Amino acid sequence: YKDMFGEMNIYYATSLCNLGVTYSELKQYDAAEKALQKALDIRKNIFGEHHPECMSNANNLLTLYVKQNNSTKKMSQMNM
């Protein structure tokens, strides 16, 4: 999607989010965080930060932080 539509599109963000969730399940937490954060940044840019698409993505990112026992520190760094 990135090559077809550019980086700032919902299809690319959705692919990144799905990839991030998959990385998280595989315990590849650094790659998961990078993909999920990029997806969230794109969605915020497209929809604004309080849109349901952003909240869903933020939930996936917070779930990752909980898996890492890192939720308090990371949650305070999120701009939501």
Side-chain angles (χ1 to χ4, degrees), residues 12-24 28-43 57 60-61 64-65:
Y12 180 55
T14 299
S15 295
L16 284 172
C17 189
N18 292 337
L19 183 62
V21 170
T22 300
Y23 278 141
S24 178
Q28 295 180 15
Y29 298 130
D30 290 338
E33 182 176 10
K34 184 177 176 182
L36 290 169
Q37 185 62 58
K38 182 67 176 174
L40 181 58
D41 292 343
I42 292 168
R43 286 179 168 159
N57 199 139
N60 289 333
L61 195 53
L64 170 67
Y65 295 153

Side-chain angles (χ1 to χ4, degrees), residues 57-72:
N57 199 139
N59 183 59
N60 289 333
L61 195 53
L62 291 173
T63 299
L64 170 67
Y65 295 153
V66 168
K67 284 182 179 182
Q68 293 176 292
N69 296 316
N70 227 352
S71 58
T72 304

Side-chain angles (χ1 to χ4, degrees), residues 42-80:
I42 292 168
R43 286 179 168 159
K44 280 182 179 179
N45 188 308
I46 293 170
F47 298 116
E49 69 180 46
H50 298 294
H51 191 276
E53 287 284 331
C54 295
M55 295 296 119
S56 175
N57 199 139
N59 183 59
N60 289 333
L61 195 53
L62 291 173
T63 299
L64 170 67
Y65 295 153
V66 168
K67 284 182 179 182
Q68 293 176 292
N69 296 316
N70 227 352
S71 58
T72 304
K73 178 182 173 191
K74 294 289 188 170
M75 284 172 60
S76 67
Q77 295 173 354
M78 288 183 71
N79 294 324
M80 295 299 296

